[in-house]
Amino acid sequence: MTAPSSPPDVLRAPLVVEFPFTRSLGPVQSAFLTGLREGVVLGVRTAGGAVVVPPVEYDPVTAEEIRDLVEVAATGTVTTWAWNPAPRPNQPLDTPFAWVLVTLDGADTAILHALDAPGPEAVRTGMRVRVRWAADRIGAITDIACFEPHDGVAPTGDAAGAVPHDGVFADAVTGIVAEARLDYTYSPGRAQTAYIGGLAERKTIGERCPSCHKVYVPPRGACPTCGVATTDRVEVGPAGTVTTFCIVNIKAKNLDIEVPYVYAHIALDGAGLALHGRIGGIPYDQVRMGLRVEPVWSDDGGHPDHYRPTGEPDADYDAYKELI
């Protein structure tokens, strides 16, 4: 079944979500990544004798701490695979390749990486492969550029075993920056497309539930209380009432706002749900529940930059207590 296409007037835009973070490494992961920099693949031996690659710090069966590092070979056997015909940015190879699970010689578990192969017909379970090392190695999993086909046979007997290793290297890698990124096309849907279009005209558009008659801003396309579709559009505001607020004392990266400042829940006139916005034009310690505010639009008109006091008397608590 094919999903129905969105109406042509619904907004769409590319969206990137990134969360790179810096983490420190324990002795096992430090030895593993430093070993890759030196062209050595390390695993760890569990109390039961199994060799785990990549190494872990705790036995996956018994949860005991394990530190018995061993060196395994840079050759191995493909245990399963999947063909990737269209590599995405920052993947190991920029030409079609196979994702493979490879059990390295001397290991009992498989490592996931890319296999450089001319096509899916050249890949099979049981094929022999070897590590292709990156030209410039820094102590990261990318020091293994990929795997490549290998004509050698699987070793047997003692030759197949892992060799003890002390895990000591000069200038050990002690931390890494772990990248996390998701690229996709986002559509806010019919209801929020209308809401965003209204903001471009300096209007705030909500939708009214036909059952409970609450007006939701931003609209969701359905009433979260009654579960019925909402299509009746209503312009609310522009003024509103501060229902509750918090004082922000930490300056956010790339946000050119001096601290402290106030973020508040604001119930726009006619809305059945409070939205949030920054309060300006008043000292932070004078912001209060019931304060009447109005939007100050950004230079491009696409959204309120902040809300400022209207000068009206504060709203009575009973007028907004259900919206806190």
Side-chain angles (χ1 to χ4, degrees), residues 33-188:
L33 293 182
T34 308
L36 294 184
R37 187 191 66 195
E38 303 302 318
V40 174
V41 183
L42 296 181
V44 67
R45 192 185 303 275
T46 69
V51 174
V52 179
V53 180
V56 293
E57 297 178 341
Y58 296 91
D59 191 313
V61 177
T62 67
E64 295 179 55
E65 187 175 20
I66 44 178
R67 295 289 186 270
D68 187 10
L69 292 167
V70 293
E71 180 179 348
V72 299
T75 55
T77 302
V78 172
T79 61
T80 190
W81 61 278
W83 187 250
N84 181 10
R88 297 178 63 83
N90 301 318
Q91 287 191 333
L93 299 172
D94 57 10
T95 56
F97 64 89
W99 288 111
V100 288
L101 284 172
V102 176
T103 301
L104 295 173
D105 299 332
D108 295 293
T109 62
I111 185 170
L112 173 67
H113 217 298
L115 171 66
D116 187 7
E121 68 283 350
V123 187
R124 68 185 187 281
T125 297
M127 72 180 294
R128 295 287 293 163
V129 295
R130 65 184 174 191
V131 169
R132 179 190 297 169
W133 295 105
D136 298 313
R137 301 198 292 274
I138 60 173
I141 191 62
T142 50
D143 290 348
I144 299 177
C146 63
F147 283 94
E148 59 188 13
H150 176 52
D151 292 334
V153 297
T156 58
D158 293 340
V163 180
H165 196 287
D166 60 13
V168 176
F169 298 95
D171 191 22
V173 178
T174 58
I176 60 171
V177 176
E179 302 286 347
R181 178 185 173 110
L182 178 64
D183 298 72
Y184 64 101
T185 299
Y186 172 74
S187 172

Side-chain angles (χ1 to χ4, degrees), residues 75-311:
T75 55
T77 302
V78 172
T79 61
T80 190
W81 61 278
W83 187 250
N84 181 10
R88 297 178 63 83
N90 301 318
Q91 287 191 333
L93 299 172
D94 57 10
T95 56
F97 64 89
W99 288 111
V100 288
L101 284 172
V102 176
T103 301
L104 295 173
D105 299 332
D108 295 293
T109 62
I111 185 170
L112 173 67
H113 217 298
L115 171 66
D116 187 7
E121 68 283 350
V123 187
R124 68 185 187 281
T125 297
M127 72 180 294
R128 295 287 293 163
V129 295
R130 65 184 174 191
V131 169
R132 179 190 297 169
W133 295 105
D136 298 313
R137 301 198 292 274
I138 60 173
I141 191 62
T142 50
D143 290 348
I144 299 177
C146 63
F147 283 94
E148 59 188 13
H150 176 52
D151 292 334
V153 297
T156 58
D158 293 340
V163 180
H165 196 287
D166 60 13
V168 176
F169 298 95
D171 191 22
V173 178
T174 58
I176 60 171
V177 176
E179 302 286 347
R181 178 185 173 110
L182 178 64
D183 298 72
Y184 64 101
T185 299
Y186 172 74
S187 172
R190 172 198 58 78
Q192 292 204 7
T193 290
Y195 171 72
I196 294 170
L199 292 179
E201 300 177 4
R202 300 194 172 189
K203 299 177 181 179
T204 304
I205 306 297
E207 287 189 351
R208 190 194 316 274
C209 173
S211 178
C212 68
H213 306 296
K214 286 185 178 180
V215 176
Y216 291 96
V217 181
R220 308 176 183 185
C223 175
T225 302
C226 305
V228 297
T230 57
T231 57
D232 182 16
R233 292 176 184 165
V234 179
E235 182 177 351
V236 299
T241 301
V242 172
T243 64
T244 188
F245 63 92
C246 69
I247 299 173
V248 181
N249 291 295
I250 299 175
K251 187 173 180 61
K253 184 179 180 181
N254 300 325
L255 186 62
D256 189 22
I257 301 175
E258 292 300 319
V259 296
Y261 61 90
V262 173
Y263 249 84
H265 275 112
I266 303 165
L268 296 179
D269 296 345
L273 186 72
L275 49 72
H276 67 269
R278 182 170 64 90
I279 306 298
I282 183 175
Y284 74 93
D285 57 358
Q286 293 183 24
V287 177
R288 55 198 180 271
M289 295 172 65
L291 180 69
R292 294 285 294 163
V293 293
E294 63 185 2
V296 176
W297 294 88
S298 61
D299 292 338
D300 60 11
H303 61 90
D305 178 74
H306 63 277
Y307 289 80
R308 66 185 177 195
T310 64

